[in-house]
């Protein structure tokens, strides 16, 4: 979940306990020899685990290299049993040497299971996708909470815990504009559908709208209006590395009737004359852009909100919360209607609309559910993952990109069928949790069509060629 102000790690990331504190808990302070011996034993255990971890990484790279020799193709997600068995057979000698596994019956059984797994994997390869990392957008100094793409322009935006938001050229990989107007972590970012405006929500309890007219020329332009207040970066860098800096918003949403805690998400309603914000104060607020005044508070959730999303064409909004529910708000009538949906067992982390009037929700309960807007009594599809799900995205053709805590990105269709798992090794992919993904607009004029960001400070641009049956 996004956080406030200057925290340098995600809420979900937990600091490992020190071995010294464990020793202090179980031994008196005056037993120095015993404590020294215990420290030594713990150090040996730590070294052994480190060695096993490095060996596992090396073996994984070898397996990835073997797969790459068969073509730069990433098939649909392999079964965990198949991956474990291939790894066990490839490292049989080293594992026997370490753990003394010598049972011949187990080896015969493993060969049978390997044969069965090979047939399953062969069936997956017929429906494969070609994908690769095309761009790496580097520059943020802390984790990146959200990435968004702009319709009609080859740019993306990122919101970061380093208190800044950035606009990037998709193909150049260059930061074209940096917004520094917030006083806390920037937790969300959304482009206006037709104008050069960006909406951001922050840990400082405010939402800002700011001008996103980027300078495509390398030299910095002069003579902007006071609201744009574009400046050259003060660092003595070459002209090609100069970054325009913006510090003043066009609109700020705060004050009486506003939020009293962190804003975790904000989105434009169709037309762009109103926005919705969601906060840790357990409420969402509908705002008027022109007057900058709150129109209506949306209350009812029992815990902090985690996400908010507006429908692309209808005046509908979904809000998600840590109370394991999400709510559908209908503003098409003068008196808004609200519906509560309780399909998850843990915090709902994101909810998004699809082109064909479905809602896709992701949760910390390790599931993604697809709902029909017209009949949301029960989910149409349940997708089970092996880790908590963060801010997901649905492509225009209907492919769900799922970013879990375990650093892998998985693709599913709206029927719950696996399409692919994006490649991740020690040399490519994210090294920490993936916090958000975003599909490029339909028929993009760029080399990338999927973007991901995470708490390794990286923003990656992916080129993915999906099978026709998935598009």
């Amino acid at each position: 979940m996004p956080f406030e102000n200057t925290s340098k790690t995600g809420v979900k990331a937990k600091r490992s306990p020190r071995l010294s504190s464990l020793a202090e808990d179980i031994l008196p302070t005056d037993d120095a020899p015993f404590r020294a011996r215990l420290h030594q034993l713990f150090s040996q255990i730590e070294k052994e685990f480190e060695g096993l971890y490095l060996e596992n990484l090396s073996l994984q790279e070898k397996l990835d290299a073997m797969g790459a020799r068969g073509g730069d193709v990433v098939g649909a997600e392999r079964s965990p049993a198949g991956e474990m068995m291939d790894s066990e057979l490839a490292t049989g000698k080293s594992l026997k040497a370490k753990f003394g596994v010598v049972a011949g019956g187990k080896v015969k059984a493993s060969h049978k299971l390997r044969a069965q797994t090979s047939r399953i994997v062969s069936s997956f390869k017929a429906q494969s996708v070609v994908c690769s990392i095309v761009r790496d957008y580097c520059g943020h100094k802390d984790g990146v909470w959200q990435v968004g793409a702009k319709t009609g322009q080859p740019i993306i935006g990122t919101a970061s815990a380093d208190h800044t938001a950035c606009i990037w050229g998709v193909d150049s990989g260059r930061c074209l504009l940096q917004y520094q107007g917030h006083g806390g972590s920037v937790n969300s970012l959304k482009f206006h559908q037709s104008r050069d405006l960006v909406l951001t929500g922050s840990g400082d309890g405010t939402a800002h709208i700011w001008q996103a007219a980027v300078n495509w020329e390398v030299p910095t332009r002069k003579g902007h209006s006071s609201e744009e207040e574009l400046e050259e970066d003060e660092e003595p860098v070459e002209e090609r590395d100069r970054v325009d800096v913006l510090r003043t918003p066009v609109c700020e949403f705060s004050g009486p009737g506003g939020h009293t805690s962190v804003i975790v998400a904000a989105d434009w309603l169709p037309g762009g004359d109103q926005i919705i914000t969601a906060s840790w104060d357990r409420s969402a607020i509908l705002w008027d852009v022109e007057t900058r005044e709150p129109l209506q508070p949306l209350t009812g959730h029992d815990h902090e909100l985690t996400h908010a999303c507006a429908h692309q064409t209808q005046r509908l909004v979904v809000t998600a919360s840590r109370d394991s529910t999400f709510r559908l708000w209908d503003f098409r009538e003068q008196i808004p209607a609200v519906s509560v949906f309780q399909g998850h067992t843990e915090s709902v982390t994101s909810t998004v609309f699809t082109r064909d009037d479905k809602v896709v929700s992701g949760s910390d309960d390790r599931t993604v559910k697809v709902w029909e807007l017209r009949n949301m009594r029960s989910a149409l599809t349940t997708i089970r993952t092996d880790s908590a799900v963060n801010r997901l995205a649905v492509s225009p053709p209907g492919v769900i990109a799922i970013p879990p805590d375990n650093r892998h990105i998985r693709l599913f269709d709206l029927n719950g069928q696996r399409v692919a798992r994006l490649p991740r090794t020690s040399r490519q992919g994210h090294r920490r949790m993936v916090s958000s993904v975003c599909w490029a607009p339909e028929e993009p004029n760029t080399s990338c069509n999927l973007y991901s960001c995470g708490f390794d400070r990286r923003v990656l641009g992916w080129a993915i060629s999906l099978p026709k049956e998935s598009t």
Side-chain angles (χ1 to χ4, degrees), residues 49-115:
F49 273 108
E50 182 68 20
L52 290 172
Y53 173 72
L54 293 174
E55 182 181 356
N56 184 42
L57 283 181
S58 175
L59 292 169
Q60 184 63 48
E61 290 177 7
K62 291 179 181 179
L63 289 173
D64 291 336
M66 292 172 62
R69 285 198 292 269
D72 188 15
V73 175
V74 179
E77 180 187 5
R78 296 182 57 189
S79 66
E83 292 182 351
M84 292 173 61
M85 186 54 61
D86 286 347
S87 177
E88 181 180 351
L89 293 173
T91 61
K93 293 183 179 179
S94 61
L95 291 176
K96 288 177 182 178
K98 286 183 176 294
F99 302 109
V101 178
V102 294
K106 292 183 179 180
V107 174
K108 291 181 181 179
S110 67
H111 281 292
K112 292 181 180 179
L113 183 55
R114 184 183 184 186

Side-chain angles (χ1 to χ4, degrees), residues 174-175 218 233 235 237-244:
R174 188 167 68 94
C175 182
V218 173
D233 192 26
E235 295 180 1
V237 294
E238 299 178 3
E239 287 290 333
R240 62 182 177 84
D241 293 329
R242 289 185 185 272
V243 177
D244 287 336

Side-chain angles (χ1 to χ4, degrees), residues 198-247:
V198 174
L199 171 63
T200 49
S202 171
D204 60 14
T206 68
H208 290 181
I209 294 176
W210 44 277
Q211 193 75 34
V214 297
N215 177 17
W216 294 101
E217 301 295 331
V218 173
T220 310
R221 294 181 298 192
K222 304 293 181 181
H224 291 285
S225 67
S226 59
E227 283 189 327
E228 294 180 39
E229 194 186 338
L230 291 173
E231 300 177 0
E232 293 184 1
D233 192 26
E234 297 178 356
E235 295 180 1
V237 294
E238 299 178 3
E239 287 290 333
R240 62 182 177 84
D241 293 329
R242 289 185 185 272
V243 177
D244 287 336
V245 175
L246 176 64
R247 296 188 177 93

Side-chain angles (χ1 to χ4, degrees), residues 53 57-58 60-61 64 424-429 431 458:
Y53 173 72
L57 283 181
S58 175
Q60 184 63 48
E61 290 177 7
D64 291 336
R424 197 202 72 80
T425 66
S426 59
R427 293 188 177 90
Q428 64 174 344
R431 300 183 181 93
R458 302 181 72 190

Side-chain angles (χ1 to χ4, degrees), residues 13 17 27 82 116 135 224 248 276 291 305 324 353 359 379 432 443:
L27 284 177
Q116 295 173 357
R135 292 284 183 273
H224 291 285
T248 305
I276 189 77
T291 64
L305 272 65
S324 77
F353 291 98
V359 174
R432 295 183 66 183
E443 299 180 1

